[in-house]
């Protein structure tokens, strides 16, 4: 009787058994596939495939956080969210400006809270003047609508904020997919 460790490949009853040398390419392909899957998982964990981005800025005593879509498809709902926080009460009015090129990304456009006034300025921006709650140190403004079907690979925008002489500008960018 022969010990299994003394068996030779030619003695095997299985046709698909191959030697270690002939299996080397398959092992390398398996390792490359495993590394590619691991790279995709790491990229997803780091946020490479996120559909929303959040950016912030500090201007004077205001902490500004802007959440916007990084990728959008025509017809889907789109929302630009601007959050203001301050240790002191916010001023009576806050002016938010958004360039017209980025506004063209929206259809069925609405702003919450409803602006006290809206004005198209000569520099290609639209200004929305909103009033926070009296004495509040926080405010959220939301630009809401559906993504238009005008085709451009990306829409770049600049969100401006003016409150009590404090000015800030935050650049935003949204890619469109078919």
């Amino acid at each position: 009787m022969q010990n299994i460790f003394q068996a030779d490949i030619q003695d095997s009853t299985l046709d698909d058994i191959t030697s270690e040398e002939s299996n080397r390419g398959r092992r390398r392909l398996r390792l490359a596939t495993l590394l590619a899957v691991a790279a995709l998982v790491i990229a997803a964990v780091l946020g490479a495939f996120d559909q929303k981005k959040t950016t912030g800025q500090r201007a004077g005593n205001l902490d500004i956080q802007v959440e916007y879509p990084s990728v959008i498809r025509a017809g889907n709902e789109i929302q630009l969210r601007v959050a203001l926080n301050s240790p002191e009460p916010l001023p009576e009015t806050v002016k938010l400006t958004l360039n017209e090129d980025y506004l063209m990304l929206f259809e069925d456009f609405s702003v919450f809270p409803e602006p006290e006034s809206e004005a198209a300025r000569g520099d290609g921006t639209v200004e929305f003047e909103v009033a926070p709650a009296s004495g509040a140190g926080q405010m959220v403004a939301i630009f809401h609508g559906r993504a238009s079907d005008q085709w451009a690979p990306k829409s770049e925008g600049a969100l401006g904020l003016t409150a009590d002489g404090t000015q800030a500008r935050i650049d935003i960018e949204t890619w469109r997919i078919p």
Side-chain angles (χ1 to χ4, degrees), residues 100-142:
E100 291 175 359
D101 292 336
Y102 196 81
L103 278 174
M104 295 302 291
L105 181 64
F106 290 87
E107 283 183 2
D108 301 333
F109 181 70
S110 64
V111 180
F112 178 80
E114 190 158 330
E116 301 289 319
S117 68
E118 297 177 21
R121 296 169 51 191
D123 59 357
T125 61
V126 178
E127 180 179 272
F128 302 92
E129 187 172 341
V130 294
S134 179
Q138 300 177 16
M139 182 188 101
V140 175
I142 297 174

Side-chain angles (χ1 to χ4, degrees), residues 62-130:
L62 283 177
D63 183 28
I64 307 162
Q65 294 291 322
V66 178
E67 183 180 291
Y68 61 95
S70 60
V71 177
I72 193 69
R73 174 175 251 159
N76 288 354
E77 289 196 15
I78 183 172
Q79 181 172 306
L80 174 67
R81 184 178 184 272
V82 181
L84 303 175
N85 288 313
S86 174
E88 301 171 5
L90 291 171
E92 288 183 26
T93 60
V94 175
K95 292 181 182 178
L96 299 170
T97 59
L98 195 58
N99 64 330
E100 291 175 359
D101 292 336
Y102 196 81
L103 278 174
M104 295 302 291
L105 181 64
F106 290 87
E107 283 183 2
D108 301 333
F109 181 70
S110 64
V111 180
F112 178 80
E114 190 158 330
E116 301 289 319
S117 68
E118 297 177 21
R121 296 169 51 191
D123 59 357
T125 61
V126 178
E127 180 179 272
F128 302 92
E129 187 172 341
V130 294

Side-chain angles (χ1 to χ4, degrees), residues 1-171:
M1 178 170 215
Q2 206 173 30
N3 187 346
I4 192 164
F5 297 108
Q6 297 170 341
D8 196 14
I9 289 182
Q10 290 83 353
D11 296 338
S12 175
T13 58
L14 303 173
D15 291 337
D16 63 343
I17 293 180
T18 58
S19 65
E20 185 177 341
E21 292 82 28
S22 66
N23 197 18
R24 198 169 297 219
R26 195 179 316 165
R27 286 189 306 173
R28 286 186 181 147
L29 180 62
R30 185 173 42 214
L31 179 63
T33 303
L34 181 65
L35 290 175
V37 169
L40 282 173
V41 169
I42 290 170
V45 167
L46 294 176
F49 306 119
D50 285 349
Q51 292 186 0
K52 288 186 179 180
K53 285 190 177 179
T54 303
T55 186
Q57 185 176 345
R58 184 118 178 113
N61 63 349
L62 283 177
D63 183 28
I64 307 162
Q65 294 291 322
V66 178
E67 183 180 291
Y68 61 95
S70 60
V71 177
I72 193 69
R73 174 175 251 159
N76 288 354
E77 289 196 15
I78 183 172
Q79 181 172 306
L80 174 67
R81 184 178 184 272
V82 181
L84 303 175
N85 288 313
S86 174
E88 301 171 5
L90 291 171
E92 288 183 26
T93 60
V94 175
K95 292 181 182 178
L96 299 170
T97 59
L98 195 58
N99 64 330
E100 291 175 359
D101 292 336
Y102 196 81
L103 278 174
M104 295 302 291
L105 181 64
F106 290 87
E107 283 183 2
D108 301 333
F109 181 70
S110 64
V111 180
F112 178 80
E114 190 158 330
E116 301 289 319
S117 68
E118 297 177 21
R121 296 169 51 191
D123 59 357
T125 61
V126 178
E127 180 179 272
F128 302 92
E129 187 172 341
V130 294
S134 179
Q138 300 177 16
M139 182 188 101
V140 175
I142 297 174
F143 297 84
H144 185 269
R146 286 183 304 119
S148 68
D149 60 355
Q150 293 180 352
W151 179 249
K154 70 177 176 177
S155 295
E156 295 178 340
L159 176 73
L161 180 125
T162 305
D164 271 350
T166 303
Q167 293 186 342
R169 177 190 157 127
I170 298 175
D171 293 323

